[in-house]
Amino acid sequence: MPGPESIDWDYVVVGSGAGGGTLAARLAEAGMRVFLLEAGGDPRANAARLPDDYDVPAFHAFACENAAMSWNFRVRHYEDEDQQARDWKHEVGQGVLYPRAAALGGCTSHNAMIFMLPHASDWNYIARLTGDLSWRATNMRRYALRVEDCRHRPLWRALRHIGLDPTGHGWHGWLKTEKSIPLTVLGDDGLVRVLRDTARTFTSSLPTPLLSTLRWVRRGLGDPNAWHMRSGSFEGICYTPLATSDRRRIGVRERLLDVAERHPTRLHIEQEALATRVLFDADGGANGVEYLKGARLYRAHAQPSDVPGEPRQVRARREVILCGGAFNTPQLLMLSGIGPAAELIPHGIPVRVDLPGVGRNLQDRYEVAVTHRMREPWEVLQGARFDRDDTLWRHWQEGKAGMYASNGAALGVVQKSSAATRGKAEPDLFCMALLARFEGYFSGFSKWIRDHPDRLTWAVLKAHTQNRAGTVRLKSADPLDMPLVDFHYFEEGSDSSGEDLQAVIEAIRFVRRMTAPLIKSGWIVEELAPGPAAQSDEALADYVRSTAWGHHASCSCPIGNASEGGVLDSTFTVHGVKRLRVVDASVFPRIPGFFVAAPIYMIAEKAAEVVLQHAYRTPLSAN
């Protein structure tokens, strides 16, 4: 019986994450034959702590460190060795841990499941940059509707049948979304005080508290995705919608398995298959992918194999679409001879297309922690070992709402920094209260969540960062090697005005104002980080430079003019290469919104539409 490689596939898609999985499923539903390559396996396979690490929302940090599906990239934040060494998370000779997932569903298999839509300006910027009006925010909204099946606005879900729906949510998509904190956890007096005092302090700081509260009610009682054309972007206190179904993780994995079951001849998922090179035909167009078949081949894997993979090839009649993410997509392009000639030649890689923008423009959000020790452990975490068969797990397994049904985020606050306010820009600060100790990524970071049930961490996130100086470069021509990643934080980057750093400092001071009543009442015993000694702007700046991290890498193969560093046109096509597209986090010219999963889902739905329109008007003989 012939293998799947011998079948005439319309599309070969590399990567099954938020971009590739969403795209492949939609193409197969439309009647196309799709061969999907995934370097990892099924995240719910029989391995230590699985499937619980995948299924249980509260276990997402443990999923990040689960050796069955972990790719542990090591990155640099600074080229300067002295500055890099000041980050306690840095491991000498390795760098800072940057968790990625090698699994069906990509990083949607271990992420915190937050589903927040980007800002209108993110899409309108691409429309202005390219002149392609289909990127306008008013048009892009419809792709969000194709994705979302909103379950956290039950009243409007019921009323939509009679034509009443002012929310702008999607109700028929493939991704269910729910609230992050079940109401049953509000019996914790400490948690109630955090929510109440934060809301009171935040509201009293507003110029018009009453009007602002009424606006907040109209915007959906903290629903950050409620859409009101005349109200602008959401600001204020919000909850974080999660991609869960009946309090269990749901994502691209479930979408792919559903489509593959319904259309087994159209969608083939080749797991444990590491793409190593794009293949080309005589006229220079992409027509396939070379890959290695085998488990744990890539050296980013938590437990890399020393068994060589089996070389294989798969061909595409129509197109090859790369969806490996901000690190692996530029690496694969460069290994295939597409990228900066000065980067390829030293590694002995023949230059097919000299495209300087590949691996440049790498961006991320800055995040820092403001961590506190509470007077007593959280009542809602009593008995939590973050393992199968503890009390909270049994409640979760029985369908009872509790903290294991949450990702740990109690609430979020969206606001503008001074620079964003002056520039009339979108909100750029997201401060999220976590019932855990979380201060970034390092080996064993998940144990802090289990071992410190009396911590409150405010995670401060700076969005719409000005720094665009990060790079992804080849370490070697060996496709098993990880690339060299350097984000060039703060002064090393392109933010000459220092707006990013100042905004993070402002956010830390804002969090301190919100927590002041809890400190005064004794519910917070002490601030552990940055700590009471860090009061001046200079001391806080030093704390931020030395501890900031990120986990939304993007923009390393951006849409834009090739002469200005762009890699793709507005249809996701690689400049200078026929039949080759990119659809993942790397395509954005500027990092969008606060959380990257939702915008990737949206561009994948848009890409599917673009690809299908091209296919319908282009016979295979002319392709």
Side-chain angles (χ1 to χ4, degrees):
M1 183 176 179
E5 298 89 346
S6 63
I7 296 175
D8 289 331
W9 299 102
D10 294 306
Y11 300 95
V12 174
V13 177
V14 178
S16 70
T22 302
L23 172 67
R26 189 65 74 183
L27 293 178
E29 282 185 327
M32 298 298 175
R33 306 187 77 175
V34 182
F35 190 100
L36 176 62
L37 287 158
E38 168 52 52
D42 189 333
R44 294 190 82 254
N46 185 24
R49 292 184 56 97
L50 291 173
D52 286 337
D53 279 357
Y54 179 84
D55 290 339
V56 184
F59 287 15
H60 63 89
F62 300 91
C64 286
E65 294 203 89
N66 192 307
M69 59 178 176
S70 296
W71 270 6
N72 295 328
F73 280 87
R74 298 286 176 169
V75 307
R76 297 186 67 90
H77 294 161
Y78 301 96
E79 186 175 358
D80 181 83
E81 291 288 351
D82 291 338
Q83 181 60 61
Q84 181 67 60
R86 298 187 68 167
D87 188 342
W88 61 268
K89 301 183 294 298
H90 170 72
E91 296 184 32
V92 178
Q94 295 190 60
V96 179
L97 176 64
Y98 205 109
R100 303 281 87 183
L104 185 61
C107 288
T108 69
S109 296
H110 76 182
N111 69 1
M113 296 151 286
I114 296 174
F115 184 85
M116 283 182 64
L117 299 179
H119 295 122
S121 63
D122 297 317
W123 305 125
N124 292 334
Y125 173 75
I126 300 177
R128 292 195 305 272
L129 178 72
T130 62
D132 185 343
L133 300 184
S134 70
W135 281 96
R136 282 181 172 175
T138 49
N139 183 63
M140 291 299 296
R141 189 81 192 190
R142 64 193 179 96
Y143 300 116
L145 302 184
R146 292 182 188 176
V147 174
E148 186 185 24
D149 180 6
C150 177
R151 300 300 178 99
H152 55 89
R153 302 296 300 276
L155 174 61
W156 293 115
R157 185 176 181 86
L159 293 177
R160 79 190 192 283
H161 296 296
I162 58 174
L164 292 176
D165 178 19
T167 69
H169 277 291
W171 308 104
H172 305 288
W174 53 266
L175 187 71
K176 293 181 175 64
T177 58
E178 300 175 332
K179 278 188 179 179
S180 59
I181 290 286
L183 293 178
T184 53
V185 305
L186 297 182
D188 187 322
D189 193 29
L191 177 55
V192 170
R193 284 175 180 267
V194 168
L195 298 174
R196 183 195 65 197
D197 290 356
T198 299
R200 181 183 296 163
T201 304
F202 176 78
T203 303
S204 64
S205 69
L206 299 173
T208 55
L210 180 58
L211 289 177
S212 298
T213 300
L214 292 174
R215 190 179 301 117
W216 178 78
V217 171
R218 189 179 69 197
R219 288 297 298 263
L221 298 172
D223 176 1
N225 293 329
W227 187 56
H228 296 266
M229 188 177 296
R230 285 183 273 182
S231 297
S233 297
F234 181 93
E235 292 183 64
I237 295 174
C238 68
Y239 58 88
T240 52
L242 299 187
T244 56
S245 176
D246 295 325
R247 307 301 182 189
R248 293 173 181 262
R249 178 190 294 273
I250 191 171
V252 178
R253 172 190 177 273
E254 288 70 30
R255 168 73 165 148
L256 286 169
L257 293 178
D258 171 64
V259 174
E261 182 179 7
R262 288 187 286 115
H263 306 290
T265 62
R266 295 185 199 163
L267 177 60
H268 173 77
I269 304 170
E270 185 79 353
Q271 299 182 56
E272 298 182 340
L274 178 69
T276 59
R277 185 167 61 98
V278 178
L279 301 173
F280 302 91
D281 57 21
D283 70 354
N287 74 342
V289 172
E290 183 178 84
Y291 67 98
L292 293 174
K293 180 68 174 178
R296 300 180 284 112
L297 299 176
Y298 196 54
R299 295 191 180 109
H301 201 285
Q303 297 174 345
S305 172
D306 57 3
V307 177
E310 176 192 345
R312 294 186 184 180
Q313 293 184 354
V314 60
R315 300 285 175 169
R317 299 192 304 169
R318 291 189 176 275
E319 297 181 15
V320 173
I321 307 175
L322 307 184
C323 310
F327 299 157
N328 291 101
T329 287
Q331 179 184 20
L332 185 55
L333 283 172
M334 288 187 281
L335 290 173
S336 307
I338 302 167
E343 178 83 11
L344 306 183
I345 293 171
H347 294 294
I349 300 173
V351 179
R352 180 172 293 274
V353 178
D354 182 9
L355 199 54
V358 173
R360 303 301 187 265
N361 193 56
L362 177 67
Q363 297 170 41
D364 206 340
R365 312 192 205 310
Y366 292 119
E367 296 186 49
V368 297
V370 182
T371 310
H372 308 86
R373 180 168 64 88
M374 305 300 291
R375 185 172 72 188
E376 55 191 41
W378 299 106
E379 185 177 335
V380 292
L381 292 177
Q382 185 174 358
R385 300 192 310 270
F386 290 90
D387 206 348
R388 178 184 284 266
D389 291 331
D390 70 21
T391 302
L392 273 69
W393 182 89
R394 288 195 297 272
H395 287 170
W396 171 84
Q397 181 70 4
E398 293 164 1
K400 299 174 183 177
M403 280 306 298
Y404 278 7
S406 164
N407 66 353
L411 81 162
V413 181
V414 177
Q415 65 170 34
K416 291 183 178 181
S417 67
S418 297
T421 301
R422 289 194 302 271
K424 298 181 179 180
E426 302 277 18
D428 61 334
L429 296 175
F430 187 84
C431 302
M432 181 166 50
L434 308 174
L435 307 188
R437 185 182 182 187
F438 176 63
E439 297 178 18
Y441 298 103
F442 59 94
S443 297
F445 80 93
S446 60
K447 294 188 179 75
W448 278 18
I449 294 173
R450 182 193 63 203
D451 296 344
H452 298 280
D454 61 347
R455 300 294 196 263
L456 170 66
T457 300
W458 278 91
V460 171
L461 185 154
K462 169 65 176 82
H464 300 295
T465 46
Q466 301 301 307
N467 184 19
R468 300 177 178 89
T471 59
V472 179
R473 300 169 52 242
L474 290 179
K475 178 181 180 181
S476 74
D478 186 345
L480 304 186
D481 276 342
M482 290 176 281
L484 303 173
V485 179
D486 193 332
F487 286 95
H488 295 288
Y489 273 10
F490 299 112
E491 285 84 358
E492 278 193 7
S494 57
D495 178 22
S496 58
S497 66
E499 285 184 8
D500 291 337
L501 181 60
Q502 185 56 42
V504 179
I505 293 171
E506 288 178 19
I508 292 173
R509 295 195 183 283
F510 170 72
V511 167
R512 282 176 163 174
R513 289 195 297 272
M514 288 196 297
T515 55
L518 292 162
I519 293 174
K520 185 177 181 180
S521 66
W523 279 93
I524 290 179
V525 176
E526 61 178 329
E527 179 185 290
L528 301 174
Q535 294 296 329
S536 67
D537 278 3
E538 182 179 357
L540 290 175
D542 183 64
Y543 171 75
V544 173
R545 290 190 193 97
S546 300
T547 67
W549 73 89
H551 66 293
H552 297 150
S554 55
C555 308
S556 53
C557 295
I559 291 171
N561 192 299
S563 63
E564 299 173 352
V567 175
L568 314 171
D569 67 16
S570 68
T571 68
F572 306 94
T573 302
V574 177
H575 292 306
V577 187
K578 292 183 288 186
R579 300 185 293 281
L580 181 63
R581 301 186 203 247
V582 172
V583 182
D584 59 28
S586 68
V587 311
F588 299 106
R590 296 180 180 175
I591 188 168
F594 291 116
F595 297 91
V596 76
I600 298 174
Y601 291 140
M602 293 170 70
I603 64 162
E605 293 288 357
K606 177 177 172 58
E609 185 174 271
V610 169
V611 168
L612 290 169
Q613 287 174 350
H614 177 78
Y616 295 152
R617 66 173 180 263
T618 309
L620 276 172
S621 58
N623 201 28

